[in-house]
Amino acid sequence: MTAQTVAISAGASGIGLAMAESFLAAGAKVFVCDVDQSALRSFQHAFPTAVALRADVGVPAHVDEFFERIAADTPHLDIMINNAGIAGPTGRLEDIQIEDWRHTVEVDLNGVFYCTRRAIPLLRRSTNASIVNIASNAALFGFPLRSPYTACKWAMIGLTKTLAMELGPDGIRVNALCPGSVEGPRIRGVIERDAMARGLTNEQVASEYQRQSSLRTFVEVEDIVAMVRFLTSRGGRRISGQAIGIDGHTESLSVDLGA
Ligand code: NAD
């Protein structure tokens, strides 16, 4: 099997980094972009064979530069992973600032459009092309106090299903992953902000989040990496248009807002 070529947005830390590490270990050619210059430096130091570029996915000119670099290095792309996404503000909709709403949409939704439109011509030249959109279990439920994030993640599922139809005849598969809360610094920040917004302790909020899943669990980053590797392998060749939960089965994302 020839080495896969993979583009990952927000690949310098978090879930994106774990995916990059896994593909690199399997001999793939990996391109990552990220907004965090110092995370990019560490990434490049650890993985000198990978290509790492500073790009904010919410800025079309940055995304264009990223894909120009990819096209200069490789004639085709096998895998596009739309991983970049910010948590956005926590609060009731009427308290959310317009700028915060816009910024969340710019990164979490428009960024997927900006990257995917540039990836498609390169994916068309692959014999096993796949797009993986990292959505969230917030794409499947109402999620009080997180309206811009939730709206963007639902939109991601609409995009996934529509693109699966547009690109399926060309053999390009498109799927979305819907992880539950992943162990790590990001979820700790989300928990802290939620606890502050609702006057609860961090422990109360963490326990509430875990009880939202049938398996009473947070997710490990390895769970997401394993699914991405499967979906983009030969084993995943008939899977497209799916929104796949990796969340111990979320029963609800409702939170106690009081009376
Ligand atoms: P994270 O907050 O750890 O950030 C990962 C990377 O994203 C960082 O290196 C950061 O610099 C980069 N980044 C942020 N904004 C960017 C931008 N505009 N352009 C390019 N890079 C940018 O995130 P994570 O926890 O690894 O989450 C990755 C994806 O998984 C997101 O789409 C997120 O919504 C989704 N997700 C995460 C969780 C979770 O609990 N962590 C749960 C469900 C879904």
Side-chain angles (χ1 to χ4, degrees), residues 9-17 33-36 39 55-58 82-87 103 107-108 134-138 149 153 156 177-183 185-187 190 221 224:
S9 67
S13 69
I15 298 167
L17 170 62
C33 73
D34 205 288
V35 275
D36 184 337
D56 180 335
V57 296
N82 285 305
N83 168 65
I86 56 171
H103 182 55
V107 175
D108 290 6
I134 307 298
S136 163
N137 58 352
Y149 180 79
K153 295 299 190 182
M156 219 175 187
L177 300 190
C178 301
S181 299
V182 179
E183 296 274 14
R186 177 188 172 116
I187 195 63
V190 168
V221 82
I224 301 168

Short mmCIF file of all heavy atoms in Angstrom, two decimals, residues 9-17 33-36 39 55-58 82-87 103 107-108 134-138 149 153 156 177-183 185-187 190 221 224, ligand 1:
data_model
loop_
_atom_site.label_atom_id
_atom_site.label_comp_id
_atom_site.label_asym_id
_atom_site.label_seq_id
_atom_site.Cartn_x
_atom_site.Cartn_y
_atom_site.Cartn_z
N SER A 9 -6.40 20.04 9.89
CA SER A 9 -6.45 21.41 10.41
C SER A 9 -6.34 21.36 11.93
O SER A 9 -6.84 20.42 12.57
CB SER A 9 -7.75 22.11 9.97
OG SER A 9 -8.88 21.52 10.57
N ALA A 10 -5.68 22.35 12.51
CA ALA A 10 -5.43 22.38 13.96
C ALA A 10 -4.72 21.11 14.41
O ALA A 10 -5.15 20.44 15.34
CB ALA A 10 -6.74 22.59 14.73
N GLY A 11 -3.61 20.82 13.74
CA GLY A 11 -2.91 19.56 14.01
C GLY A 11 -1.75 19.67 14.98
O GLY A 11 -1.06 18.69 15.22
N ALA A 12 -1.50 20.86 15.53
CA ALA A 12 -0.30 21.02 16.37
C ALA A 12 -0.51 20.63 17.82
O ALA A 12 0.47 20.46 18.56
CB ALA A 12 0.21 22.46 16.28
N SER A 13 -1.76 20.50 18.26
CA SER A 13 -1.98 20.01 19.63
C SER A 13 -3.36 19.34 19.72
O SER A 13 -4.11 19.32 18.74
CB SER A 13 -1.85 21.15 20.66
OG SER A 13 -2.91 22.05 20.52
N GLY A 14 -3.65 18.81 20.89
CA GLY A 14 -4.97 18.20 21.12
C GLY A 14 -5.23 16.99 20.23
O GLY A 14 -4.32 16.21 19.91
N ILE A 15 -6.47 16.86 19.81
CA ILE A 15 -6.90 15.70 19.02
C ILE A 15 -6.17 15.67 17.67
O ILE A 15 -5.77 14.61 17.18
CB ILE A 15 -8.44 15.74 18.81
CG1 ILE A 15 -9.16 15.67 20.16
CG2 ILE A 15 -8.90 14.63 17.90
CD1 ILE A 15 -10.65 16.01 20.10
N GLY A 16 -5.99 16.84 17.08
CA GLY A 16 -5.31 16.92 15.78
C GLY A 16 -3.89 16.39 15.86
O GLY A 16 -3.43 15.67 14.96
N LEU A 17 -3.19 16.73 16.93
CA LEU A 17 -1.82 16.24 17.11
C LEU A 17 -1.82 14.71 17.24
O LEU A 17 -0.98 14.03 16.63
CB LEU A 17 -1.20 16.88 18.36
CG LEU A 17 0.14 16.30 18.82
CD1 LEU A 17 1.22 16.48 17.75
CD2 LEU A 17 0.58 16.96 20.12
N CYS A 33 -1.97 22.44 9.76
CA CYS A 33 -1.95 23.88 9.98
C CYS A 33 -2.45 24.12 11.40
O CYS A 33 -3.10 23.26 12.00
CB CYS A 33 -2.80 24.64 8.96
SG CYS A 33 -4.58 24.45 9.20
N ASP A 34 -2.14 25.27 11.93
CA ASP A 34 -2.59 25.63 13.28
C ASP A 34 -2.38 27.13 13.45
O ASP A 34 -1.57 27.74 12.74
CB ASP A 34 -1.78 24.87 14.35
CG ASP A 34 -2.54 24.72 15.66
OD1 ASP A 34 -2.70 25.73 16.38
OD2 ASP A 34 -2.99 23.60 15.96
N VAL A 35 -3.12 27.75 14.39
CA VAL A 35 -2.90 29.18 14.66
C VAL A 35 -1.78 29.40 15.68
O VAL A 35 -1.29 30.51 15.80
CB VAL A 35 -4.13 29.91 15.26
CG1 VAL A 35 -5.05 30.39 14.18
CG2 VAL A 35 -4.85 29.09 16.29
N ASP A 36 -1.45 28.36 16.43
CA ASP A 36 -0.53 28.54 17.57
C ASP A 36 0.92 28.31 17.12
O ASP A 36 1.34 27.17 16.91
CB ASP A 36 -0.93 27.54 18.66
CG ASP A 36 -0.11 27.69 19.92
OD1 ASP A 36 1.02 28.22 19.84
OD2 ASP A 36 -0.58 27.26 20.99
N ALA A 39 3.11 26.02 19.40
CA ALA A 39 2.73 24.60 19.26
C ALA A 39 3.24 24.06 17.93
O ALA A 39 3.70 22.92 17.85
CB ALA A 39 1.21 24.45 19.36
N ALA A 55 -1.73 28.77 10.01
CA ALA A 55 -2.92 29.21 9.28
C ALA A 55 -4.11 29.18 10.21
O ALA A 55 -4.32 28.20 10.94
CB ALA A 55 -3.19 28.32 8.07
N ASP A 56 -4.87 30.26 10.21
CA ASP A 56 -6.15 30.31 10.91
C ASP A 56 -7.20 29.85 9.91
O ASP A 56 -7.37 30.50 8.85
CB ASP A 56 -6.40 31.76 11.36
CG ASP A 56 -7.71 31.92 12.12
OD1 ASP A 56 -8.64 31.10 11.92
OD2 ASP A 56 -7.81 32.90 12.88
N VAL A 57 -7.91 28.78 10.21
CA VAL A 57 -8.88 28.25 9.23
C VAL A 57 -10.02 29.22 8.95
O VAL A 57 -10.72 29.09 7.96
CB VAL A 57 -9.46 26.88 9.65
CG1 VAL A 57 -8.40 25.81 9.72
CG2 VAL A 57 -10.26 26.98 10.95
N GLY A 58 -10.19 30.18 9.82
CA GLY A 58 -11.25 31.18 9.61
C GLY A 58 -10.83 32.31 8.68
O GLY A 58 -11.62 33.21 8.43
N ASN A 82 -11.00 17.82 8.88
CA ASN A 82 -11.43 19.13 9.37
C ASN A 82 -11.60 19.01 10.88
O ASN A 82 -12.66 18.62 11.38
CB ASN A 82 -12.75 19.54 8.71
CG ASN A 82 -12.55 19.99 7.28
OD1 ASN A 82 -11.76 20.90 7.01
ND2 ASN A 82 -13.25 19.35 6.35
N ASN A 83 -10.51 19.35 11.57
CA ASN A 83 -10.47 19.15 13.03
C ASN A 83 -10.57 20.47 13.79
O ASN A 83 -11.02 20.50 14.93
CB ASN A 83 -9.15 18.43 13.37
CG ASN A 83 -8.87 18.42 14.84
OD1 ASN A 83 -9.59 17.82 15.63
ND2 ASN A 83 -7.81 19.12 15.23
N ALA A 84 -10.17 21.58 13.16
CA ALA A 84 -10.14 22.86 13.89
C ALA A 84 -11.55 23.22 14.37
O ALA A 84 -12.51 23.15 13.61
CB ALA A 84 -9.59 23.96 13.00
N GLY A 85 -11.62 23.60 15.62
CA GLY A 85 -12.90 24.02 16.17
C GLY A 85 -12.67 24.61 17.54
O GLY A 85 -11.90 24.05 18.33
N ILE A 86 -13.30 25.73 17.82
CA ILE A 86 -13.15 26.34 19.15
C ILE A 86 -14.45 26.14 19.93
O ILE A 86 -15.51 25.95 19.33
CB ILE A 86 -12.80 27.85 19.05
CG1 ILE A 86 -13.84 28.59 18.21
CG2 ILE A 86 -11.39 28.03 18.49
CD1 ILE A 86 -13.67 30.11 18.26
N ALA A 87 -14.32 26.19 21.24
CA ALA A 87 -15.50 25.94 22.09
C ALA A 87 -16.51 27.08 21.99
O ALA A 87 -17.71 26.87 22.16
CB ALA A 87 -15.05 25.76 23.54
N HIS A 103 -17.05 34.92 15.57
CA HIS A 103 -15.75 34.25 15.57
C HIS A 103 -15.93 32.73 15.63
O HIS A 103 -15.23 31.98 14.93
CB HIS A 103 -14.91 34.74 16.77
CG HIS A 103 -13.55 34.13 16.81
ND1 HIS A 103 -12.67 34.18 15.75
CD2 HIS A 103 -12.92 33.41 17.77
CE1 HIS A 103 -11.55 33.55 16.06
NE2 HIS A 103 -11.69 33.07 17.28
N VAL A 107 -14.64 30.12 12.60
CA VAL A 107 -13.69 28.99 12.77
C VAL A 107 -14.42 27.65 12.60
O VAL A 107 -13.98 26.80 11.82
CB VAL A 107 -13.02 29.05 14.17
CG1 VAL A 107 -12.13 27.84 14.39
CG2 VAL A 107 -12.22 30.35 14.32
N ASP A 108 -15.52 27.47 13.31
CA ASP A 108 -16.12 26.13 13.42
C ASP A 108 -16.93 25.72 12.19
O ASP A 108 -17.08 24.53 11.92
CB ASP A 108 -17.04 26.06 14.66
CG ASP A 108 -16.26 26.08 15.97
OD1 ASP A 108 -15.02 26.27 15.92
OD2 ASP A 108 -16.88 25.92 17.03
N ILE A 134 -14.51 16.58 12.18
CA ILE A 134 -14.60 16.33 13.62
C ILE A 134 -15.69 17.26 14.17
O ILE A 134 -15.47 18.46 14.36
CB ILE A 134 -13.25 16.58 14.33
CG1 ILE A 134 -12.12 15.76 13.65
CG2 ILE A 134 -13.38 16.20 15.81
CD1 ILE A 134 -12.28 14.26 13.66
N ALA A 135 -16.86 16.68 14.35
CA ALA A 135 -18.00 17.45 14.88
C ALA A 135 -17.99 17.30 16.40
O ALA A 135 -16.99 17.61 17.05
CB ALA A 135 -19.29 16.97 14.24
N SER A 136 -19.07 16.81 16.96
CA SER A 136 -19.18 16.69 18.43
C SER A 136 -20.51 16.01 18.72
O SER A 136 -21.42 16.03 17.88
CB SER A 136 -19.20 18.11 19.03
OG SER A 136 -19.68 18.09 20.36
N ASN A 137 -20.65 15.47 19.93
CA ASN A 137 -21.99 14.97 20.28
C ASN A 137 -22.97 16.14 20.40
O ASN A 137 -24.18 15.93 20.37
CB ASN A 137 -21.97 14.08 21.54
CG ASN A 137 -21.43 14.78 22.77
OD1 ASN A 137 -20.92 15.91 22.69
ND2 ASN A 137 -21.52 14.13 23.91
N ALA A 138 -22.44 17.38 20.47
CA ALA A 138 -23.32 18.56 20.45
C ALA A 138 -23.99 18.73 19.08
O ALA A 138 -24.88 19.56 18.93
CB ALA A 138 -22.53 19.82 20.79
N TYR A 149 -21.56 27.13 19.25
CA TYR A 149 -20.83 25.87 19.01
C TYR A 149 -21.78 24.81 18.49
O TYR A 149 -21.51 24.13 17.49
CB TYR A 149 -20.18 25.43 20.32
CG TYR A 149 -19.39 24.14 20.26
CD1 TYR A 149 -18.10 24.11 19.75
CD2 TYR A 149 -19.92 22.94 20.75
CE1 TYR A 149 -17.35 22.94 19.72
CE2 TYR A 149 -19.19 21.76 20.72
CZ TYR A 149 -17.91 21.76 20.21
OH TYR A 149 -17.18 20.60 20.19
N LYS A 153 -21.83 22.82 14.88
CA LYS A 153 -21.60 21.38 14.79
C LYS A 153 -22.78 20.68 14.10
O LYS A 153 -22.58 19.72 13.36
CB LYS A 153 -21.31 20.79 16.18
CG LYS A 153 -20.00 21.30 16.80
CD LYS A 153 -18.76 20.95 15.98
CE LYS A 153 -17.46 21.25 16.72
NZ LYS A 153 -16.26 20.95 15.90
N MET A 156 -22.30 21.16 10.52
CA MET A 156 -21.26 20.26 10.02
C MET A 156 -21.85 18.93 9.55
O MET A 156 -21.38 18.33 8.59
CB MET A 156 -20.25 20.01 11.13
CG MET A 156 -18.82 19.97 10.68
SD MET A 156 -17.82 19.83 12.17
CE MET A 156 -16.21 20.00 11.48
N LEU A 177 -17.39 12.71 12.76
CA LEU A 177 -17.28 12.05 14.05
C LEU A 177 -17.89 12.96 15.11
O LEU A 177 -17.71 14.18 15.07
CB LEU A 177 -15.83 11.76 14.41
CG LEU A 177 -15.07 10.86 13.43
CD1 LEU A 177 -13.72 10.46 14.02
CD2 LEU A 177 -15.89 9.61 13.10
N CYS A 178 -18.60 12.36 16.04
CA CYS A 178 -19.26 13.12 17.10
C CYS A 178 -18.74 12.67 18.46
O CYS A 178 -19.39 11.87 19.16
CB CYS A 178 -20.77 12.91 17.01
SG CYS A 178 -21.45 13.42 15.42
N PRO A 179 -17.55 13.16 18.84
CA PRO A 179 -17.01 12.73 20.13
C PRO A 179 -17.76 13.36 21.29
O PRO A 179 -18.26 14.49 21.20
CB PRO A 179 -15.56 13.26 20.11
CG PRO A 179 -15.29 13.72 18.71
CD PRO A 179 -16.64 14.06 18.12
N GLY A 180 -17.80 12.62 22.39
CA GLY A 180 -18.23 13.20 23.66
C GLY A 180 -17.07 13.99 24.24
O GLY A 180 -16.06 14.22 23.57
N SER A 181 -17.20 14.40 25.49
CA SER A 181 -16.14 15.18 26.14
C SER A 181 -14.86 14.36 26.22
O SER A 181 -14.87 13.25 26.75
CB SER A 181 -16.56 15.55 27.56
OG SER A 181 -17.72 16.33 27.51
N VAL A 182 -13.79 14.93 25.67
CA VAL A 182 -12.51 14.22 25.63
C VAL A 182 -11.67 14.64 26.83
O VAL A 182 -11.56 15.84 27.13
CB VAL A 182 -11.76 14.57 24.31
CG1 VAL A 182 -10.42 13.85 24.26
CG2 VAL A 182 -12.62 14.21 23.11
N GLU A 183 -11.10 13.65 27.52
CA GLU A 183 -10.19 13.95 28.63
C GLU A 183 -9.11 14.90 28.16
O GLU A 183 -8.53 14.69 27.10
CB GLU A 183 -9.50 12.66 29.10
CG GLU A 183 -10.40 11.60 29.67
CD GLU A 183 -10.68 11.79 31.15
OE1 GLU A 183 -10.39 12.88 31.67
OE2 GLU A 183 -11.22 10.84 31.75
N PRO A 185 -7.10 19.21 28.56
CA PRO A 185 -7.20 20.59 29.03
C PRO A 185 -8.42 21.34 28.49
O PRO A 185 -9.01 22.17 29.17
CB PRO A 185 -5.92 21.25 28.52
CG PRO A 185 -5.29 20.29 27.58
CD PRO A 185 -5.86 18.94 27.82
N ARG A 186 -8.81 21.02 27.25
CA ARG A 186 -9.94 21.75 26.67
C ARG A 186 -11.22 21.50 27.46
O ARG A 186 -11.94 22.44 27.81
CB ARG A 186 -10.13 21.33 25.21
CG ARG A 186 -11.34 21.99 24.55
CD ARG A 186 -11.56 21.36 23.20
NE ARG A 186 -12.78 21.79 22.58
CZ ARG A 186 -12.85 22.47 21.46
NH1 ARG A 186 -11.78 22.86 20.85
NH2 ARG A 186 -14.01 22.79 20.95
N ILE A 187 -11.48 20.23 27.78
CA ILE A 187 -12.74 19.95 28.49
C ILE A 187 -12.69 20.51 29.91
O ILE A 187 -13.71 20.95 30.45
CB ILE A 187 -13.08 18.43 28.47
CG1 ILE A 187 -14.55 18.23 28.85
CG2 ILE A 187 -12.19 17.61 29.36
CD1 ILE A 187 -15.53 18.85 27.91
N VAL A 190 -13.83 24.00 29.51
CA VAL A 190 -15.29 24.05 29.28
C VAL A 190 -16.02 23.84 30.61
O VAL A 190 -16.97 24.56 30.94
CB VAL A 190 -15.70 22.96 28.24
CG1 VAL A 190 -17.21 22.78 28.21
CG2 VAL A 190 -15.17 23.32 26.86
N VAL A 221 -8.60 10.40 23.71
CA VAL A 221 -8.24 10.84 22.36
C VAL A 221 -7.95 9.64 21.46
O VAL A 221 -8.25 9.65 20.26
CB VAL A 221 -7.08 11.86 22.46
CG1 VAL A 221 -5.74 11.20 22.59
CG2 VAL A 221 -7.08 12.83 21.30
N ILE A 224 -10.81 8.39 19.32
CA ILE A 224 -11.10 9.16 18.10
C ILE A 224 -10.09 8.80 17.02
O ILE A 224 -10.45 8.57 15.85
CB ILE A 224 -11.06 10.67 18.42
CG1 ILE A 224 -12.09 10.99 19.49
CG2 ILE A 224 -11.31 11.50 17.15
CD1 ILE A 224 -11.96 12.37 20.07
P1 NAD B 1 -8.06 22.24 21.34
O1 NAD B 1 -8.81 23.35 21.98
O2 NAD B 1 -7.17 21.37 22.17
O3 NAD B 1 -7.25 22.90 20.13
C1 NAD B 1 -6.49 22.12 19.25
C2 NAD B 1 -5.73 23.05 18.31
O4 NAD B 1 -6.62 23.90 17.57
C3 NAD B 1 -4.77 24.03 19.03
O5 NAD B 1 -3.44 23.75 18.63
C4 NAD B 1 -5.21 25.40 18.55
O6 NAD B 1 -4.14 26.29 18.36
C5 NAD B 1 -5.88 25.05 17.23
N1 NAD B 1 -6.77 26.09 16.70
C6 NAD B 1 -7.67 26.82 17.39
N2 NAD B 1 -8.29 27.69 16.57
C7 NAD B 1 -7.75 27.49 15.33
C8 NAD B 1 -7.97 28.11 14.08
N3 NAD B 1 -8.85 29.11 13.93
N4 NAD B 1 -7.26 27.68 13.01
C9 NAD B 1 -6.34 26.68 13.15
N5 NAD B 1 -6.09 26.08 14.32
C10 NAD B 1 -6.79 26.48 15.40
O7 NAD B 1 -9.12 21.33 20.57
P2 NAD B 1 -9.39 19.76 20.64
O8 NAD B 1 -9.98 19.41 21.96
O9 NAD B 1 -8.22 19.03 20.14
O10 NAD B 1 -10.61 19.66 19.59
C11 NAD B 1 -10.42 19.39 18.22
C12 NAD B 1 -11.80 19.25 17.58
O11 NAD B 1 -12.56 18.25 18.27
C13 NAD B 1 -12.64 20.52 17.61
O12 NAD B 1 -13.32 20.68 16.40
C14 NAD B 1 -13.62 20.28 18.75
O13 NAD B 1 -14.82 20.99 18.60
C15 NAD B 1 -13.84 18.78 18.62
N6 NAD B 1 -14.30 18.17 19.87
C16 NAD B 1 -13.54 18.26 21.00
C17 NAD B 1 -14.02 17.71 22.17
C18 NAD B 1 -13.23 17.77 23.44
O14 NAD B 1 -13.78 17.42 24.49
N7 NAD B 1 -11.97 18.17 23.40
C19 NAD B 1 -15.27 17.03 22.18
C20 NAD B 1 -16.00 16.97 21.00
C21 NAD B 1 -15.51 17.53 19.85
#
